[in-house]
Amino acid sequence: METLLKIVQTVNLYLSDYILIIMLVGCGLYFTVKTRFVQIRCFGEGMRRVFGNFSLHGGSHHGGMSSFQALTTAIAAQVGTGNIVGACGAILVGGPGAIFWMWIIAFFGMATIYAEAVLAQKTRQVDADGNVLGGPVCYIRTAFQGNFGKFLAGFFSVAIILALGFMGTMVQSNSISEACQNAFGIPAWIIGLAVCAFASVIFIGGASRVASVTEKLVPIMAVLYLIGGLIVLISRIEYLPETFGMIFKYAFVPNAIIGGGLGHALKTAVSQGVKRGLFSNEAGMGSTPHAHAMAKVETPHDQGVVAMVGVFMDTFIVLTMTALIVISTLYAGDGILASGAADGVEKTNMAQLAFSMIFGGTAGSAFVAVCLLFFAFSTIISWNLFGKINVVYLFGKKAALPYSVIAIAFMFLGAILSNTLVWELTDMFNQLMVVPNVIALLALSGLVAAEANTKSKA
């Protein structure tokens, strides 16, 4: 196990420090230019499409979802432990400056996810029963005919099933159980059983039930977290200028707070921003296109601009809220991390420590535990759906039920076991998903640019 952990950590090191930085930033920059800054030009249109059709009761859509349901299903996958635990981990390892690089990744990622949503709509397939099959496997096969396309699509499907369907659910359920156990003293196995029971009911209902749950759960959990966060920021308002200053300062001189040489520290800050930014907003990873493919919209562009709003809300609102809370309470002023890392502070308890500074120990831990419960559970149900779509692609509809049973078993194991190897394997397969996805996006970039530029002219 130790040997395997070291191998996986080495693979992740090269993926996050080199390959991902080049592919994600390069892809995002390419589509930003190719679409003439679609994330700026069409941002207002995306917001109008989202909030102009806002509803907690979108109803059932046979064989698909409303545009808003597709967005909330995507956001449910995006807004998870990455926005709390992942952001804290990036700050702890890469310093406050890692958040700056998360912003950079998210800005370019808005163009990337526009491309993903557009291609998911353009290449989706509808079977005889009206069910939609869409996502990277479809546009990968469109981009590359023959055996190469089959291999890339199969590689992607295996990676997403392992990363999100199995190991990803372990990570999410582990975060739920650990937070609730710390806050309420509830044994992990009880939390694991409860999470599995609720998830099973939703899994059985398929995509329509997932859409119905996420359209209600996502707005509620976002508002709850933002209200709690605003209370903390108001209480620490005098430290907000210093907080923003630290984010920008330590983005370029992170060694001043995390130690070591400037070159190594800068690489650490950037790689943490890229890796945790990917895990948070998932732009370029190929997960959320499964939801956007199901949206019933007039044109692919319509869902593309909606998809951009998902990345904006995930990173620039929810994740940034976490960052400001943690930095303003633990780093700014006389914070316990003002001089760097401190004993007893880990990525799993940083948010609880930060909220406890204002709410008190018990209330702060309880608030974060409840938010993590919402965030992680919503991610579990969306990730399970994305994995199921790829299981059906590889093995047919009969494999859907066995897949869900195995996923539930992994979920329970994740609740009762804390394993560094699982976190590292999840990171590795998350990052491996990027490779075939980005290759296909670039190969079909002409279709994306035509859609963006034609619609903007209209």
Side-chain angles (χ1 to χ4, degrees), residues 250-275:
Y250 294 129
F252 301 99
V253 285
N255 60 314
I257 196 167
I258 65 176
L262 177 59
H264 175 74
L266 185 57
K267 185 178 74 172
T268 301
V270 174
S271 66
Q272 283 296 312
V274 171
K275 181 167 66 174

Side-chain angles (χ1 to χ4, degrees), residues 24-43 103-119 139 281 283-284 301 303-305 307-312 316 437 441-442 445 448-449 452:
L24 286 176
V25 176
C27 182
L29 182 60
Y30 178 74
F31 277 109
T32 295
V33 174
K34 191 85 171 176
T35 61
R36 296 188 294 116
F37 287 82
V38 68
Q39 66 267 60
I40 295 176
R41 291 190 300 108
C42 299
F43 180 73
W103 290 341
I104 296 297
I105 284 294
F107 174 75
F108 291 122
M110 289 172 71
T112 302
I113 209 163
Y114 172 86
E116 289 179 302
V118 164
L119 292 177
Y139 56 72
N281 63 54
H301 170 81
Q303 194 60 25
V305 296
M308 295 191 307
V309 175
V311 172
F312 176 82
F316 290 102
N437 184 57
L441 291 176
L442 294 175
S445 61
V448 177

Side-chain angles (χ1 to χ4, degrees), residues 72 88 165 232 290 314 339 383:
T72 55
C88 291
V232 174
H290 297 92
D314 171 87
S339 300
W383 278 2

Side-chain angles (χ1 to χ4, degrees), residues 15 26 89 109 167 187 243 252 266-267 296 315 326 338 350 391 405 436:
L15 284 172
M167 284 171 286
T243 297
F252 301 99
L266 185 57
K267 185 178 74 172
K296 293 188 173 182
T315 301
V326 168
M350 280 182 76
V391 165
V405 172

Side-chain angles (χ1 to χ4, degrees), residues 55 71 84 286 366 405:
S55 172
L71 175 66
I84 298 180
V405 172

